[in-house]
């Protein structure tokens, strides 16, 4: 593997890509493993976020799994599930994973994100709005329960007597 990476780093094309400081670069025509090697090497060398956008979920998962071989610094940004009818048993796992990826980007650490064009095109909450509505609770702090309830309701949570799943429901317990 070191042989491949050494030859990649010495190539003229890699040198041009690594010297590009404009921000975004479009690279096409590479096979999946070559994309993974290039992305992981650039991520290690340049210490910047890398966004790989592909045409479908299957391809994104394949690239993600290839990248997992080279680095742990990779996340899969899935598209949101869209339901055309009301359902009782809705999972918030994809939303949780999407927020985890956004938090990794926000942290400032270099990271590789693999996604699809459909996932990128879905509307999301603005970064400023998301992070200005963080509720921080520390030990021995005094917090207004009415303020917390109001903020959670404003963010789209529903008040329930019993919370059964992670995500859109909250329960305030008085101790």
């Amino acid at each position: 593997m070191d042989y491949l990476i050494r030859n990649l780093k010495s190539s003229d094309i890699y040198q041009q890509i690594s010297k590009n400081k404009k921000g975004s670069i479009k690279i096409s025509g590479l096979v999946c493993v070559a994309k993974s090697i290039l992305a992981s090497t650039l991520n290690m060398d340049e210490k910047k976020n890398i966004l790989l956008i592909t045409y479908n979920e299957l391809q994104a998962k394949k690239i993600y799994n290839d990248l997992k071989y080279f680095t742990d610094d990779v996340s899969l940004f899935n598209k949101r599930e869209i339901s055309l009818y009301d359902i009782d048993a809705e999972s918030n796992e994809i939303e949780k994973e999407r927020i985890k990826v956004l938090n990794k980007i926000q942290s400032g650490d270099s990271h590789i994100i693999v996604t699809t064009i459909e996932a990128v095109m879905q509307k999301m909450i603005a970064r400023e709005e998301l992070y200005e509505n963080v509720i921080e609770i520390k030990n021995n702090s005094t917090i207004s329960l009415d303020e917390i309830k109001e903020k959670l309701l404003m963010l789209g949570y529903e008040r329930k007597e019993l919370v059964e799943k992670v995500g859109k429901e909250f329960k305030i317990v008085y101790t």
Side-chain angles (χ1 to χ4, degrees), residues 4 8 27-40 52 54-55 59 62-64 66-67 70:
L4 285 173
L8 173 66
I27 300 173
S28 60
L30 296 175
V31 295
C32 287
V33 175
K35 291 175 194 172
S36 300
I37 293 171
L38 178 62
S40 62
L52 295 172
T54 189
Y55 55 90
Q59 187 69 15
K62 184 174 181 350
I63 294 170
Y64 170 77
D66 286 346
L67 276 163
F70 299 106

Side-chain angles (χ1 to χ4, degrees), residues 56-81:
N56 68 20
E57 294 268 333
L58 189 62
Q59 187 69 15
K61 286 178 184 172
K62 184 174 181 350
I63 294 170
Y64 170 77
N65 288 329
D66 286 346
L67 276 163
K68 288 295 279 178
Y69 177 76
F70 299 106
T71 180
D72 290 329
D73 241 357
V74 61
S75 295
L76 183 61
F77 190 70
N78 287 311
K79 66 179 179 161
R80 275 194 324 254
E81 291 179 347

Side-chain angles (χ1 to χ4, degrees), residues 13 16 20 25 45 62 65 70 80 84 92 96 101 106 113 115 126 144-146 151 159 168-169:
I13 294 172
Q16 289 173 350
N20 182 337
I25 303 170
D45 287 354
K62 184 174 181 350
N65 288 329
F70 299 106
R80 275 194 324 254
L84 301 176
N92 293 327
K96 260 180 37 182
V101 174
Q106 179 70 19
I113 297 102
T115 190
S144 163
L145 290 177
D146 291 332
K151 193 168 230 182
R159 182 152 186 184
K168 297 280 185 178
E169 302 171 338

Side-chain angles (χ1 to χ4, degrees), residues 111-166:
H111 200 69
I112 302 172
I113 297 102
V114 181
T115 190
T116 64
I117 193 73
E118 188 176 358
V120 171
M121 297 299 289
Q122 289 177 325
K123 285 190 174 186
M124 294 191 59
I125 188 170
R127 182 169 104 176
E128 297 79 24
E129 189 175 342
L130 177 67
Y131 289 104
E132 78 183 20
N133 287 303
V134 170
I135 300 172
E136 193 170 326
I137 301 174
K138 296 180 181 177
N139 284 342
N140 300 323
S141 62
T142 304
I143 301 168
S144 163
L145 290 177
D146 291 332
E147 183 182 322
I148 290 175
K149 285 189 269 187
E150 187 178 313
K151 193 168 230 182
L152 289 171
L153 290 170
M154 184 186 76
L155 291 171
Y157 287 82
E158 300 172 22
R159 182 152 186 184
K160 300 283 184 175
E161 292 301 316
L162 178 65
V163 176
E164 298 174 346
K165 59 185 175 183
V166 176

